[in-house]
Amino acid sequence: MDSLPTSAETGAFPRREVPLPSRLATGDLAWASVAAVLHCAGISRAPQPDPDRIAMAYRSDRLFRIDGEQPTVWSPFSGFWQTKNGWVRTHGNYPHHARALCLGLDLTEGASADDLRSMLATASVQESVERITRAGGLAVAVARENPQYDAALRSRPLVEIRRIGNEAPTRPKAPSRPRASRLTSETAAQAAPLVGIRVLDLTRAIAGPVCTRTLALLGADVLRIDPPHIPEPEWQHLDTGHGKRTTLLDARSEQMTALLEEADVVVLGYRPAGLARLGLSPGQLGERYPGLIIVQLSAWELDQPDRAGFDSLVQAESGIALIESADGEVPGALPAQALDHSAGYLLASAVCAVVDQRVHEGGTWHITTSLRRIAAELLGMPRRDAPEREREIDPAMHTQNFSVDGHALITAAPVLPGFSFAPPRPWGRDAPQW
């Protein structure tokens, strides 16, 4: 196996229009990504996914409420900024990235978005990006698409699956443990294919957590691990943390080694170079832990191992932002963080496929994709001359309510028919153990 099933092989779910208005085929990508999970999880007898539910899940940040309030999703330091010779896109949602951005541009503590705008207006695109990235911040030039590069990316699998490391014997699924998801009677008999599978979640932001949230929904025991010194925005974790336990742990600790020794799957979402320095590269993990399924998500391709990134930055540099421009000049964006969400569902589908294959063939496995590879796929799909008209959807039909740590929570409901989420848990409060 070197890739996921083709769209023809997932034909049990004929495509339906997902209302994510854009020039690019965002809705088609979303539909295919969700259908891949259902196919690879072996629950093709379930009802077809609801296209409105998919659209709402891809825009989950718009539905999210905590104690009736919608959190501020974007930092004032995240956005498109005009320079003297073009546009740049910055990302400062994490405080350490915002600090680095300001440091690179010599902005003082307490600087505002207006200060950032004024500074960038007098600089060039190249100078701005170089200064910000040199200081450890995140910025890219808003670029036009590169059809030749995208075609080269599309010549490789959308999600690559291969054996690595030491040979390992077949590994039957572990005895059933308590499930993190809840199932309706219609799907209970055929669903939860990952019961007994232990997953270490070393991801943050959206794409990786969507993957592991889906694995938890399918029955896996998911333990999310974060470094103690980099807090996660509360809303972001609660929006993607359903059914997982969550702990804070140094990746070089003996406890991490013990967890890896008993894990079936580890999902990696940090920069490849940083993982290698911690001894957590796929090659290192494959050698030490035969039989492990190693899932690696990066923003950019693996030939840029030191480079960090997010969906919005990939949209800007890949040409998507200019394609989605309303006037051909000011950059635009997809109607959702669609690269993130699609990557999450596609990786979850690959895990389901490999878990089944490992039962019969054994082996140590490496599953990988990047947001940039997802972008290339989207750029190769049919386009519209203009976005379709926005259609109103009743959000109450596509949400779940929870009480978490004394707070009333409203989140998007799952896209898999017949499933409902177990509640997310407070970030970092669980013990680092299975």
Side-chain angles (χ1 to χ4, degrees):
M1 179 189 296
D2 63 0
S3 64
L4 291 174
T6 65
S7 58
E9 294 172 311
T10 58
F13 301 102
R15 184 181 67 80
R16 294 171 64 191
E17 196 74 26
V18 175
L20 289 170
S22 55
R23 287 185 170 84
L24 294 170
T26 309
D28 291 351
L29 176 66
W31 177 268
S33 302
V34 171
V37 177
L38 292 167
H39 177 85
C40 293
I43 50 178
S44 56
R45 288 185 286 117
Q48 284 200 21
D50 180 341
D52 289 356
R53 173 70 58 86
I54 294 173
M56 291 290 95
Y58 268 59
R59 293 167 149 179
S60 60
D61 56 306
R62 303 186 186 188
L63 296 181
F64 184 88
R65 298 291 186 276
I66 183 165
D67 294 330
E69 299 291 328
Q70 183 176 20
T72 300
V73 173
W74 292 101
S75 159
F77 295 106
S78 295
F80 294 106
W81 311 92
Q82 192 164 22
T83 73
K84 65 183 183 181
N85 67 336
W87 291 85
V88 298
R89 181 63 159 94
T90 60
H91 194 285
N93 283 11
Y94 285 96
H96 61 289
H97 289 150
R99 287 194 296 271
L101 186 154
C102 291
L103 177 65
L105 296 176
D106 295 326
L107 295 173
T108 59
E109 185 175 352
S112 67
D114 287 338
D115 295 327
L116 176 60
R117 182 177 294 105
S118 297
M119 174 67 72
L120 291 174
T122 63
S124 70
V125 168
Q126 182 178 11
E127 176 192 0
S128 302
V129 172
E130 286 181 353
R131 289 178 64 183
I132 292 169
T133 55
R134 190 165 53 241
L138 296 174
V140 301
V142 176
R144 298 199 177 279
E145 63 180 309
N146 184 338
Q148 185 175 2
Y149 180 62
D150 289 320
L153 290 180
R154 289 194 297 272
S155 71
R156 305 201 305 269
L158 179 57
V159 177
E160 186 173 2
I161 302 171
R162 62 188 180 91
R163 288 175 179 264
I164 64 167
N166 297 326
E167 284 300 311
T170 60
R171 186 185 293 195
K173 293 181 183 178
S176 177
R177 303 185 184 99
R179 276 204 305 273
S181 61
R182 296 194 293 266
L183 305 172
T184 64
S185 58
E186 291 84 359
T187 56
Q190 62 167 331
L194 300 182
V195 167
I197 297 298
R198 287 172 163 167
V199 178
L200 277 183
D201 177 3
L202 277 69
T203 72
R204 57 189 356 178
I206 299 174
V210 165
C211 169
T212 54
R213 179 184 69 186
T214 306
L215 300 180
L217 189 68
L218 292 168
D221 178 5
V222 179
L223 176 61
R224 171 171 167 158
I225 295 177
D226 283 272
H229 60 286
I230 304 179
E232 182 79 339
E234 181 183 37
W235 78 267
Q236 191 161 264
H237 163 65
L238 293 174
D239 189 40
T240 56
H242 304 78
K244 311 175 196 178
R245 290 178 297 115
T246 161
T247 193
L248 306 181
L249 187 65
D250 189 321
R252 292 160 291 201
S253 66
E254 292 183 4
Q255 288 170 298
M256 175 66 85
T257 300
L259 289 169
L260 283 164
E261 287 173 346
E262 295 188 28
D264 294 284
V265 180
V266 60
V267 185
L268 307 171
Y270 293 89
R271 287 180 297 168
L275 291 168
R277 287 191 290 271
L278 293 171
L280 296 174
S281 71
Q284 293 164 320
L285 291 172
E287 288 294 322
R288 290 191 206 125
Y289 308 102
L292 189 63
I293 298 170
I294 303 152
V295 182
Q296 184 175 26
L297 169 73
S298 57
W300 312 99
E301 288 293 280
L302 295 179
D303 60 358
Q304 302 180 72
D306 274 309
R307 193 177 184 196
F310 292 87
D311 183 304
S312 58
L313 299 179
V314 176
Q315 286 192 42
E317 188 174 293
S318 66
I320 290 174
L322 289 179
I323 292 170
E324 295 294 343
S325 168
D327 60 6
E329 296 183 9
V330 178
L334 297 175
Q337 301 287 287
L339 308 180
D340 271 331
H341 286 271
S342 292
Y345 290 121
L346 289 168
L347 288 173
S349 67
V351 171
C352 292
V354 173
V355 164
D356 279 344
Q357 189 153 355
R358 190 182 60 171
V359 169
H360 304 291
E361 299 182 15
T364 305
W365 296 85
H366 182 205
I367 300 169
T368 184
T369 195
S370 69
L371 299 184
R372 185 62 185 86
R373 175 63 184 86
I374 304 292
E377 194 72 15
L378 180 59
L379 287 163
M381 296 170 73
R383 305 179 184 181
R384 294 179 172 87
D385 292 333
E388 60 270 46
R389 182 174 297 179
E390 185 82 46
R391 177 161 60 79
E392 187 173 341
I393 301 173
D394 181 2
M397 301 292 293
H398 304 289
T399 58
Q400 277 192 250
N401 295 1
F402 305 100
S403 177
V404 177
D405 201 26
H407 297 286
L409 200 68
I410 300 174
T411 74
V415 296
L416 303 187
F419 287 77
S420 61
F421 282 131
R425 296 175 61 80
W427 182 76
R429 302 249 196 108
D430 291 298
Q433 62 189 33
W434 294 116

